Amino acid sequence: MRFAPTLFALAFLAFALPAAAEPNAGFQVIQVPDPQGPPIEVGVWYPTDAPATAPARGMGNIKVAYGAPLQGQKLPLVVMSHGNGGWFGGHYDTAITLAKAGFVVAALTHTGDNYKDQSRATDMANRPRQLHVLIDYMLGDWTEHARLDPKRVGAFGFSSGGFTVLAAAGGEPDLRRIEAQCGAHPSHYECQMVKRSPVGAEAFTTPWTHDPRIRAVVSAAPALGYTFKAESLKALTQPVQLWRAADDEILPDPFHASAVKAALPASVDYHVVAKARHFDFLTPCDDYARKNLPVLCASNPDFDRAAFHHTFNAAVTAFFTARLALTHP
């Protein structure tokens, strides 16, 4: 049997040449100036062809290429907002997955609502404002801003961060609904927070910061879902992927994710995760977290958080890939 020389050569090359290597995730920590407060600490993950050498401090055992050069042009940007008392590294496995898929991911540590400082934990309007400051910086002042595509910006948030990205993308929550909700459910998590640190009167008059550059939103277990109604979400016209933990012990159903689902159009990409608890959206726990942060690691005994994150990260990446596709010149 004889083969055409060209076909034989192509077949030989297909077997002889190694497959194109998957990009690694580069990583850096930056300080973003904030005109209304101290600099905002931000972790940035991005695609690179440099070798991944070691895990970033405090972020498990997934290797990254610390300080490596950025690979690519016209890259999409995803900003991340953590939950109450969190930090920029709370979703590092999701960020790394996105970076390897070609995204630049910038996750901030919210000033006044993080694991070191809870002084502004109930100042919810400050969160989308800080996210806006981060987008401004990444698209205008970051050292590699010219390699980002300002028309391809997504936002990912969890818990209070899930609330944050909905507001930043156009939602107009009504915080006055908290009083009635907490009157009926005083033991709920957010009601205990408000009891310790009451919402100031200015919270009801401060305008919400919206950022029209956000083109797609992923909101996981959003807090204060009952403060949104269909009318207050009518300006949020971007595609939304919404996640709910079926056994959420912190933000119980139907007051949060389900309330947001009811207020959004039917086109929302909605996922209910069977047997998941609230903190299962955080990166799977390593030995340090299991020992020192057991509350964050208390999954249901028959729930495999690591296996879920394989599915979760793939779904989030697929959503942003499809919704932030390069469709302009």
Side-chain angles (χ1 to χ4, degrees), residues 13-24 48-49 71 100:
L13 287 172
F15 285 102
L17 294 178
E22 178 188 53
N24 289 316
T48 183
D49 56 7
Q71 178 185 11
K100 289 183 175 182

Side-chain angles (χ1 to χ4, degrees), residues 13-89:
L13 287 172
F15 285 102
L17 294 178
E22 178 188 53
N24 289 316
F27 177 69
Q28 61 181 229
V29 178
I30 60 176
Q31 299 292 323
V32 173
D34 183 352
Q36 295 188 26
I40 301 169
E41 182 184 52
V42 176
V44 183
W45 293 260
Y46 51 89
T48 183
D49 56 7
T53 56
R57 183 179 179 183
M59 287 180 269
N61 59 5
I62 306 177
K63 294 180 179 180
V64 294
Y66 201 100
L70 174 68
Q71 178 185 11
Q73 299 287 343
K74 293 187 176 180
L75 299 172
L77 170 69
V78 171
V79 291
M80 281 189 165
S81 174
H82 62 73
N84 167 242
W87 70 305
F88 72 72

Side-chain angles (χ1 to χ4, degrees), residues 139-150:
L139 295 181
D141 297 301
W142 185 48
T143 55
E144 298 286 0
H145 73 272
R147 297 169 74 178
L148 297 176
D149 188 339

Side-chain angles (χ1 to χ4, degrees), residues 123-188:
D123 184 2
M124 300 305 291
N126 195 39
R127 284 174 145 268
R129 185 197 66 79
Q130 290 178 2
L131 206 66
H132 175 74
V133 169
L134 174 58
I135 295 173
D136 273 351
Y137 181 85
M138 293 300 295
L139 295 181
D141 297 301
W142 185 48
T143 55
E144 298 286 0
H145 73 272
R147 297 169 74 178
L148 297 176
D149 188 339
K151 295 183 179 180
R152 302 168 72 201
V153 178
F156 170 100
F158 161 69
S159 197
S160 288
F163 168 95
T164 300
V165 296
L166 292 169
E172 286 278 334
D174 183 356
L175 299 186
R176 291 172 297 184
R177 295 191 176 103
I178 294 175
E179 183 177 3
Q181 176 73 9
C182 290
H185 305 280
S187 65
H188 282 191

Side-chain angles (χ1 to χ4, degrees), residues 75-285:
L75 299 172
L77 170 69
V78 171
V79 291
M80 281 189 165
S81 174
H82 62 73
N84 167 242
W87 70 305
F88 72 72
H91 304 276
Y92 69 82
D93 67 313
T94 305
I96 288 173
T97 301
L98 285 165
K100 289 183 175 182
F103 292 83
V104 172
V105 181
L108 79 172
T109 297
H110 280 285
T111 305
D113 185 8
N114 58 67
Y115 72 99
K116 294 184 292 186
D117 176 15
Q118 290 282 286
S119 60
R120 301 182 69 175
T122 58
D123 184 2
M124 300 305 291
N126 195 39
R127 284 174 145 268
R129 185 197 66 79
Q130 290 178 2
L131 206 66
H132 175 74
V133 169
L134 174 58
I135 295 173
D136 273 351
Y137 181 85
M138 293 300 295
L139 295 181
D141 297 301
W142 185 48
T143 55
E144 298 286 0
H145 73 272
R147 297 169 74 178
L148 297 176
D149 188 339
K151 295 183 179 180
R152 302 168 72 201
V153 178
F156 170 100
F158 161 69
S159 197
S160 288
F163 168 95
T164 300
V165 296
L166 292 169
E172 286 278 334
D174 183 356
L175 299 186
R176 291 172 297 184
R177 295 191 176 103
I178 294 175
E179 183 177 3
Q181 176 73 9
C182 290
H185 305 280
S187 65
H188 282 191
Y189 183 85
E190 77 277 14
C191 301
Q192 291 297 306
M193 280 184 58
V194 170
K195 184 178 179 180
R196 293 191 299 269
S197 180
V199 177
E202 68 280 1
F204 305 120
T205 57
T206 301
W208 294 96
T209 302
H210 305 310
D211 198 316
R213 293 169 296 187
I214 296 173
R215 302 296 181 91
V217 173
V218 174
S219 179
L224 302 177
Y226 54 82
T227 65
F228 293 105
K229 300 297 180 184
E231 180 68 16
S232 60
L233 286 178
K234 67 179 182 181
L236 201 167
T237 58
Q238 302 92 322
V240 175
Q241 186 179 76
L242 179 65
W243 294 79
R244 176 170 75 84
D247 295 341
D248 197 320
E249 77 286 16
I250 301 298
L251 301 176
D253 198 52
F255 305 111
H256 301 281
S258 289
V260 172
K261 165 70 165 57
L264 285 171
S267 58
V268 61
D269 180 15
Y270 187 50
H271 302 258
V272 179
V273 187
K275 300 182 180 180
R277 293 175 177 169
H278 187 71
F279 297 115
D280 285 319
F281 290 108
L282 294 174
T283 295
C285 292

